[in-house]
Amino acid sequence: MTLSLAARGAILSLLILALFLAAWQIAVSGGGSAPAMDPEYAKLMGQSAVTGHSAMPGPADIARGLWQALRDPFYDHGTNDKGIGIQLAWSVARVAAGWLLAVIVAVPLGFVIGMSPLLGRAFDPFIQLLKPISPLAWMPLALFTIRDSGISAIFVIFICSLWPMLINTAFGVSSVRTEWLNVARTLEVRPIRRALTIILPAAAPTILTGMRISVGIAWLVIVAAEMLVGGTGIGYFVWNEWNNLSITNVIVAILIIGLVGMALDQALARAQAAVTFPQ
Amino acid sequence: MNSFISIEAIARRFGAQPVFENLWLGVPRGSFTCMIGHSGCGKTTVLNILAGLDAPDDGVVIVDGRAIEGPSLDRAVVFQSHALLPWRSVLGNVAFAVASRWPDAPRAVVQARARAAIARVGLAGNEMKLPAELSGGMKQRVGIARALSIDPKILLMDEPFSALDALSRGTLQDEVRRICTDTDQTVFMITHDVDEAIYLADRIVLMTNGPGARIGEIVVNTLARDRTRADLHRQPGFYELRNHLIDFLVTRSAALRDTMPPGHDNRHPPEIRLTPPRSTQETPCAVNS
Ligand SMILES: Nc1ncnc2c1ncn2[C@@H]1O[C@H](COP(=O)(O)OP(=O)(O)O)[C@@H](O)[C@H]1O
Ligand SMILES: [Mg+2]
């Protein structure tokens, strides 16, 4: 019996996961007596330091934490105690807002830059200069001018989403095959119809690639941005749990950040597949 | 000669080097003209100027009494690389052209017209396929259907069959000949296949080598108009015509570039009618238009 490559890959994945969990469990359950310790310091460090158990939670703790988090994800017990679902919703909403704003700006602007070699050259130095700036470097400027931490976070997402979409849209539009444009010319297709029926479908796969890169970067940046501005969001949640010394919740949050990022990427991958045409 | 298309003293230069200068050519209405010449002599450049996709540096092209100022729905182009839109189905590609020609036509009319054009090139049943699912010959057929669907006054084709295998090239030649003679379509086609030109063309324009290419002569095809591809080589005069064309391509196209015969007039290139073989005269006689 020979299994398909996909099935064998899945089995191997499960095996790697099992090995990893086992190693993790062994690593954290190590005994040993606690070294003599200043009681004041021991109190500060919590129970685990005194009993000699590792402060690092094991896989079972994480599973329990995950269950706790997912059983009631939307509870709200005040500023510093909200369910992980609420915090995620805040983060996703900020990413969606900033990313959509970037789509609204980058796609039309990229179209214009891609269609006009002159504007392409004119904008190029600015794009090259602004693109490598870490989006978080904009944060103080955003806080100073916008004076609202939530909107500042959205602005940072907007900035980091902008460049990949702008560059990809301009590239996709400027590299539409001449023969397709010639078809439009010989059929006397007007500019608006040409943009919508020839250039947009031809450039759509490249534009979607830019959108997919953007949403990935935006999801990376939102965690850091929310750690900075605080208040709500999954980034703030992670920081808050670190302050509570709840490593279990930190790891639970890390897992969930990964899952949501994967879901966002997959959604854009679907959209990308939908507009990609066989050559 | 009352020309439907009249190329008058056009020149095209890329840099200092002229592709051609002072080029004159008339194409009668309803005729099938083939242009033959070596690679790089400027055939595509001529066709692009006729299509309005390129503009001459000097001179004008007059079509039906009006100077060409750009591309037009009256002049349909069949591209060498078929140039189908890969994200549209066969029907979508043809309907795009029909909707461009008649922007106010109802959708049902556009679709019906597109389907009719697809059926005319023998592709009925393939309407919903994407270009990627078609063979090279089928793609080129869609390109022809797209061009014919808009009822153009002139059909321009740039080596439309050169990328195809011999078998599909043959069937496509049959179809193009049938459609074009049925409808008295004015056609200007570039080819480098001598037999294709003999089968399809009423008039064969022979270009000398570039740079600075000229029209060496225009050969009038005197073979029977009801010729078929199968009996082409049995037509009286076929071999004389074929030898004449090959002779031009092999030796005279190069020789003529350097020294044009005395009395050559760019405006009136010699028009050659090979006499039928049964007659006593075997030498070609030049007839000035
Ligand atoms: N866009 C262009 N820029 C520079 N040279 C060109 C361009 N297009 C064609 N040429 C030159 O003009 C000549 C004629 O080209 P073309 O019309 O394509 O020849 P053909 O179709 O007969 O093979 C060639 O020497 C080619 O290199
Ligand atoms: Mg060519």
Side-chain angles (χ1 to χ4, degrees):
Chain A
M1 187 190 71
T2 46
L3 288 166
S4 74
L5 187 63
R8 280 180 289 160
I11 291 172
L12 204 54
S13 289
L14 287 174
L15 210 66
I16 292 169
L17 179 67
L19 272 176
F20 171 73
L21 291 177
W24 182 4
Q25 184 63 47
I26 290 166
V28 297
S29 62
S33 58
M37 195 182 286
D38 180 358
E40 203 63 7
Y41 180 63
K43 210 165 125 198
L44 209 67
M45 290 305 287
Q47 186 65 23
S48 59
V50 184
T51 57
H53 282 292
S54 169
M56 193 68 183
D61 302 312
I62 300 303
R64 228 173 290 123
L66 204 58
W67 171 244
Q68 288 282 332
L70 296 182
R71 201 177 45 177
D72 184 13
F74 296 109
Y75 72 86
D76 188 352
H77 300 160
T79 317
N80 285 339
D81 194 8
K82 293 190 204 307
I84 199 158
I86 291 184
Q87 305 289 27
L88 268 179
W90 273 106
S91 301
V92 171
R94 282 186 188 124
V95 165
W99 183 81
L100 282 175
L101 276 175
V103 171
I104 291 168
V105 173
V107 172
L109 188 59
F111 238 82
V112 173
I113 292 176
M115 304 242 299
S116 154
L118 174 67
L119 287 180
R121 279 174 184 272
F123 274 93
D124 190 58
F126 300 105
I127 296 175
Q128 297 304 333
L129 175 75
L130 295 174
K131 186 181 62 164
I133 297 172
S134 163
L136 293 172
W138 293 95
M139 186 61 96
L141 202 59
L143 288 169
F144 175 72
T145 48
I146 303 173
R147 293 172 192 281
D148 179 293
S149 59
I151 298 180
S152 295
I154 292 175
F155 173 78
V156 166
I157 295 303
F158 165 79
I159 282 288
C160 76
S161 303
L162 193 64
W163 312 118
M165 279 197 254
L166 193 60
I167 291 165
N168 272 272
T169 305
F171 176 72
V173 167
S174 67
S175 47
V176 173
R177 300 245 294 262
T178 323
E179 53 179 51
W180 298 336
L181 296 174
N182 280 344
V183 168
R185 287 179 66 198
T186 57
L187 293 173
E188 297 189 59
V189 176
R190 306 239 160 269
I192 302 277
R193 183 159 177 257
R194 184 185 58 186
L196 294 178
T197 58
I198 306 273
I199 299 171
L200 188 60
T206 320
I207 296 175
L208 260 292
T209 303
M211 292 181 169
R212 190 174 168 190
I213 296 170
S214 282
V215 91
I217 295 177
W219 191 244
L220 291 180
V221 167
I222 192 65
V223 174
E226 286 170 344
M227 283 180 177
L228 271 177
V229 297
T232 48
I234 192 72
Y236 172 70
F237 178 85
V238 171
W239 200 248
N240 198 35
E241 294 305 320
W242 160 239
N243 285 335
N244 295 343
L245 283 179
S246 172
I247 301 301
T248 305
N249 279 348
V250 169
I251 294 176
V252 166
I254 286 174
L255 266 179
I256 289 177
I257 290 170
L259 289 173
V260 172
M262 204 165 91
L264 288 174
D265 186 61
Q266 283 306 306
L268 265 294
R270 289 270 166 84
Q272 194 179 16
V275 298
T276 299
F277 44 84
Q279 286 280 2
Chain B
M1 185 175 63
N2 183 17
S3 295
F4 185 45
I5 306 172
S6 180
I7 295 176
E8 302 187 353
I10 61 168
R12 186 76 180 95
R13 302 176 192 92
F14 295 107
Q17 193 73 270
V19 181
F20 46 72
E21 273 174 326
N22 195 24
L23 190 85
W24 294 71
L25 178 67
V27 175
R29 189 189 293 268
S31 71
F32 199 125
T33 302
C34 273
M35 182 175 260
I36 298 191
H38 281 285
S39 196
C41 72
K43 306 179 297 292
T44 298
T45 307
V46 171
L47 187 125
N48 282 344
I49 290 172
L50 287 178
L53 293 170
D54 195 3
D57 294 307
D58 295 318
V60 285
V61 179
I62 313 250
V63 172
D64 210 6
R66 292 178 54 187
I68 289 182
E69 272 162 11
S72 160
L73 282 157
D74 288 336
R75 284 168 270 129
V77 183
V78 175
F79 297 89
Q80 180 173 13
S81 56
H82 62 76
L84 298 180
L85 306 176
W87 56 90
R88 282 176 176 261
S89 66
V90 168
L91 183 63
N93 268 283
V94 180
F96 182 73
V98 177
S100 305
R101 181 79 172 80
W102 294 281
D104 301 322
R107 198 179 134 79
V109 174
V110 169
Q111 301 260 318
R113 213 188 156 84
R115 282 177 190 277
I118 293 165
R120 196 137 61 114
V121 297
L123 280 182
N126 295 285
E127 287 86 352
M128 290 308 154
K129 288 197 178 140
L130 286 175
E133 301 169 274
L134 304 178
S135 70
M138 290 162 93
K139 281 184 212 167
Q140 205 49 273
R141 273 177 201 193
V142 181
I144 294 168
R146 175 172 65 185
L148 292 173
S149 70
I150 59 173
D151 271 355
K153 289 184 186 166
I154 296 164
L155 188 59
L156 302 170
M157 300 196 271
D158 188 354
E159 305 195 23
F161 311 134
S162 62
L164 305 181
D165 60 281
L167 213 62
S168 24
R169 192 186 311 168
T171 17
L172 264 173
Q173 286 167 357
D174 289 342
E175 274 161 21
V176 163
R177 175 154 173 85
R178 177 175 51 76
I179 292 168
C180 292
T181 44
D182 284 357
T183 56
D184 270 334
Q185 180 77 53
T186 308
V187 187
F188 183 88
M189 173 169 144
I190 293 170
T191 178
H192 57 236
D193 180 339
V194 167
D195 291 314
E196 182 171 275
I198 296 173
Y199 177 41
L200 294 175
D202 306 317
R203 296 158 60 79
I204 302 165
V205 178
L206 300 176
M207 293 273 276
T208 66
N209 291 359
R214 302 178 210 225
I215 294 175
E217 57 191 44
I218 298 168
V219 178
V220 178
N221 190 344
T222 49
L223 300 193
R225 206 166 151 75
D226 61 356
R227 59 189 177 264
T228 62
R229 199 156 47 86
D231 74 7
L232 192 62
H233 60 284
R234 288 193 211 98
Q235 291 275 343
F238 170 78
Y239 284 105
E240 287 76 4
L241 180 54
R242 192 170 194 275
N243 289 342
H244 183 81
L245 297 179
I246 289 179
D247 194 40
F248 181 92
L249 286 179
V250 172
T251 52
R252 293 174 56 217
S253 61
L256 284 175
R257 172 184 52 188
D258 307 323
T259 47
M260 275 323 250
H264 181 90
D265 179 2
N266 276 339
R267 188 161 180 175
H268 300 288
E271 201 168 292
I272 309 288
R273 260 168 226 277
L274 296 181
T275 49
R278 260 177 243 288
S279 87
T280 48
Q281 232 180 355
E282 285 277 309
T283 45
C285 60
V287 179
N288 266 334
S289 52

